[in-house]
Amino acid sequence: MSTWNWNGARWWKFDFHTHTPASEDYGKGSDQAQLRSRTPGEWLLDFMRAGVDCVAVTDHNSGAWIDCLKGALQKLRREQPEGFRELYLFPGVEISVHGGVHVLALFNPDVAGEKIMALLGAVGFSGTHGRSDDVTTKSFAEVVSEIARAGGIAIPAHVDENS
């Protein structure tokens, strides 16, 4: 991605809902074992090669990969391997809310995985990180309020499906 130094609009390719191997359902299918063995650097390069500019990391009830992805991105920036292009990471989480609703919480790029884990505690999530079937003790409205209080943006996920 080139430096943006002129007035006017720009189109960005942004994936607002991604999972990493921290989510137990990552890479569902016959090649799940291979996909789950991807390193953070390989995961990032997949998005770079696809021409994506921004990625929201929204694992199921987990912020486990946020910090390792940030570290891998810094390493890729230094080494500039084949396929490298600038990519912006937005830390987040897909929260399974009491009542069966899933909501994405997205944060500024400087937020660490620790803040995601603190948010999960604030919404009453005590299940297994990475699982989508374990839910919060708080309602959807309460979870959205906690996300806002933490400085994030709440986006309902799967609005056209059961979850």
Side-chain angles (χ1 to χ4, degrees), residues 30-101:
S30 60
D31 57 349
Q32 186 175 24
Q34 177 188 6
L35 289 171
R36 289 187 64 76
S37 69
R38 309 272 304 148
T39 67
E42 291 168 332
W43 189 90
L44 291 166
L45 281 168
D46 289 343
F47 284 96
M48 292 174 182
R49 290 180 182 126
V52 175
D53 299 306
C54 307
V55 176
V57 182
T58 56
D59 280 312
H60 292 292
N61 305 303
S62 177
W65 263 51
I66 304 256
D67 297 333
C68 65
L69 284 171
K70 286 181 171 194
L73 182 57
Q74 291 302 320
K75 182 178 179 190
L76 290 172
R77 285 179 176 144
R78 283 190 309 274
E79 296 175 358
Q80 305 251 329
E82 185 177 335
F84 175 83
R85 64 191 300 276
E86 190 56 58
L87 180 74
Y88 297 91
L89 286 178
F90 288 82
V93 60
E94 180 178 1
I95 302 172
S96 301
V97 180
H98 177 73
V101 177

Side-chain angles (χ1 to χ4, degrees), residues 82-161:
E82 185 177 335
F84 175 83
R85 64 191 300 276
E86 190 56 58
L87 180 74
Y88 297 91
L89 286 178
F90 288 82
V93 60
E94 180 178 1
I95 302 172
S96 301
V97 180
H98 177 73
V101 177
H102 290 189
V103 63
L104 303 177
L106 303 184
F107 293 90
N108 288 329
D110 61 338
V111 166
E114 180 180 314
K115 185 164 188 165
I116 302 301
M117 300 310 279
L119 171 64
L120 289 167
V123 300
F125 183 83
S126 61
T128 302
H129 298 289
R131 281 184 42 95
S132 65
D133 294 340
D134 297 339
V135 299
T136 66
T137 58
K138 293 195 176 183
S139 70
F140 178 79
E142 291 170 315
V143 169
V144 169
S145 292
E146 289 294 341
I147 293 168
R149 190 178 352 273
I153 296 171
I155 302 171
H158 315 291
V159 295
D160 59 343
E161 296 177 13

